[in-house]
Amino acid sequence: MTEKVTSYFSHEIIIDAPAGAVLDYVSNPNSWPEWIAASHEMDSPDRPLEEGDTFIEQWQTRTGPAQLKWKVTKREHPYVWKCETSTPFTGPILITYTVVSLDDGRSLYTRIVSNPDRPKSITEAANKAMNEEAAISLANIKANVEARQAQQ
């Protein structure tokens, strides 16, 4: 019997915008291709999704395309949003977005991606790539949300 492993990635960034604006942006899957390099196409309503909503993501991996069928498992606006999917090569994927309102009007956004039951460990190279991609994604979220706020 093969032992399953857990992977866990947590990254955060401060965004000059209210918590609601941050959560609304990241919880609308149609925004994901704007900030996640692996996310190419969405079949989703163009709005922040609520608990129970589902969507499909066309995702690009090292070995080729994959289709992810996501389900939103929690939304507590403006502070928490969770969704989940599963693939044969990663097992379950659980995503949690949290937003904390800071005293100065900015927000602390945290993106957590975990795989609680992976079929195999993540390689050192894949771990490095995940962290690099997360840093780029968070910088893109920050830039996009702040630009939208400046337009309002």
Side-chain angles (χ1 to χ4, degrees):
M1 181 174 182
T2 305
E3 186 176 328
K4 303 286 183 159
V5 295
T6 296
S7 65
Y8 180 89
F9 297 90
S10 179
H11 302 90
E12 61 186 31
I13 194 165
I14 293 176
I15 300 174
D16 189 10
V22 176
L23 193 68
D24 282 349
Y25 179 73
V26 297
S27 66
N28 179 345
N30 288 293
S31 77
W32 291 13
E34 297 173 6
W35 53 271
I36 302 174
S39 187
H40 292 282
E41 186 179 324
M42 292 293 175
D43 181 2
S44 171
D46 190 13
R47 61 174 169 73
L49 298 188
E50 300 290 335
E51 185 173 332
D53 285 342
T54 60
F55 62 100
I56 298 172
E57 176 185 18
Q58 302 300 325
W59 201 39
Q60 185 62 42
T61 70
R62 286 187 342 248
T63 58
Q67 184 179 77
L68 304 180
K69 296 177 182 177
W70 292 94
K71 180 174 184 176
V72 179
T73 58
K74 183 175 187 176
R75 180 180 175 87
E76 292 178 6
H77 193 267
Y79 302 111
V80 179
W81 190 80
K82 295 182 177 188
C83 64
E84 62 184 40
T85 192
S86 187
T87 73
F89 52 93
T90 64
I93 303 171
L94 310 176
I95 293 181
T96 302
Y97 299 154
T98 63
V99 187
V100 175
S101 295
L102 303 177
D103 291 339
D104 60 4
R106 298 180 305 160
S107 298
L108 175 64
Y109 168 69
T110 304
R111 178 176 178 253
I112 299 166
V113 179
S114 65
N115 301 104
D117 202 16
R118 287 185 68 90
K120 63 181 182 177
S121 294
I122 293 179
T123 65
E124 194 172 314
N127 186 61
K128 182 178 184 235
M130 286 281 293
N131 285 304
E132 289 171 352
E133 289 169 13
I136 292 167
S137 292
L138 265 60
N140 289 339
I141 292 167
K142 177 178 175 62
N144 293 343
V145 171
E146 290 177 356
R148 288 173 186 227
Q149 286 301 117
Q151 293 174 355
Q152 294 181 352

